[in-house]
Amino acid sequence: MIIFGFSSSPREGDALSSPCSHCQQSAQVALRSFNYFHLFFLPVIPLGSKQGVSCTHCQKTLWGRDARAIIEAGAADDSDLPGRPFWHFVGPVAAAALIALVLLSGPSDRSIRAAEAAAAPSVGDVWIVNMEGAIPDIEIELTYGVGRVDEITEDGVYLGFSDWQYDSFLQALTASRKAAAGRDDEYFTTAGVWFSRDEIITFENAHDFIWAFSAEELKEGAKAG
Ligand SMILES: [Zn+2]
């Protein structure tokens, strides 16, 4: 059973100068209640917050518009209001860490496949290329290019490059996968560069060539999907 729902946690802020409307004591503090969506009571999505005012003397507590008016009248600025408790971010941070782990744990498996693809290239293999590293003479605007193995001879491998370039490896990977899966013929061009087989291995070792996927893998993915 999955337990989930909405919850909130109130936090106390600074003391307000205005007296309590109920007991007239200057004992009011600003409150802020932070909503979140929880999964098994672990906050996973931080949602909005609401403002409140509580009297530490008589315990009278107001929320919403009435509270806001008091806070504003009490000349409390935003700094008087407490911030979201850090543990509300435990879920989002854990989720981000999990995603990062999935993305980064790939490489052990990926790096083996990359080394294999460099040693034994096949037509249709797609490489994300750090252009500055692999082709320093070429003029490019962004760091990562995408090359597809179009031809293989005894001596070398011809990579047809996409016109598209990217800031990050991940962008390049996502876009090239999408283009290849969607059979976007205009994504890869026939304009490219010959690399020797040794160069491919060298660049792969230096991480200037990052194996993205093979034609084979994409076919399997399409079947599975
Ligand atoms: Zn009071």
Side-chain angles (χ1 to χ4, degrees):
M1 186 172 68
I2 296 172
I3 300 165
F4 65 95
F6 296 94
S7 192
S8 65
S9 51
R11 290 192 92 190
E12 222 171 78
D14 290 350
L16 296 170
S17 54
S18 55
C20 169
S21 61
H22 189 243
C23 71
Q24 314 305 324
Q25 299 282 323
S26 290
Q28 293 194 115
V29 291
L31 294 178
R32 206 166 169 192
S33 182
F34 295 88
N35 301 321
Y36 58 87
F37 180 78
H38 73 81
L39 207 58
F40 295 104
F41 309 108
L42 179 78
V44 285
I45 307 170
L47 300 167
S49 67
K50 66 176 176 181
Q51 294 180 12
V53 167
S54 183
C55 177
T56 57
H57 185 251
C58 71
Q59 310 302 325
K60 187 178 168 68
T61 302
L62 297 167
W63 291 104
R65 195 192 299 169
D66 295 340
R68 262 202 314 279
I70 294 169
I71 290 168
E72 275 159 28
D77 57 39
D78 280 352
S79 64
D80 293 324
L81 293 168
R84 185 177 287 276
F86 77 91
W87 57 268
H88 280 199
F89 298 103
V90 166
V93 168
L98 197 68
I99 290 166
L101 195 70
V102 167
L103 291 174
L104 294 176
S105 67
S108 56
D109 177 43
R110 278 195 88 79
S111 60
I112 295 165
R113 302 178 78 173
E116 285 172 1
S122 54
V123 169
D125 284 350
V126 172
W127 291 90
I128 311 296
V129 178
N130 181 336
M131 305 295 266
E132 285 161 14
I135 323 172
D137 297 336
I138 207 165
E139 265 200 39
I140 48 132
E141 284 175 25
L142 301 171
T143 310
Y144 292 96
V146 180
R148 182 178 60 183
V149 175
D150 285 340
E151 213 181 318
I152 302 167
T153 66
E154 293 259 308
D155 307 322
V157 175
Y158 185 82
L159 286 192
F161 275 92
S162 171
D163 284 334
W164 293 86
Q165 284 151 8
Y166 305 90
D167 267 330
S168 77
F169 162 74
L170 211 59
Q171 282 177 335
L173 179 65
T174 310
S176 57
R177 263 184 176 280
K178 206 173 150 193
R183 310 208 179 283
D184 179 358
D185 291 335
E186 291 178 6
Y187 183 81
F188 292 99
T189 72
T190 52
V193 181
W194 279 99
F195 294 96
S196 74
R197 284 166 177 256
D198 286 345
E199 273 176 328
I200 291 201
I201 291 167
T202 305
F203 289 143
E204 197 278 318
N205 284 333
H207 302 292
D208 288 329
F209 266 43
I210 307 162
W211 180 75
F213 51 90
S214 64
E216 200 65 26
E217 193 204 31
L218 207 63
K219 255 185 260 164
E220 280 165 22
K223 255 187 261 166

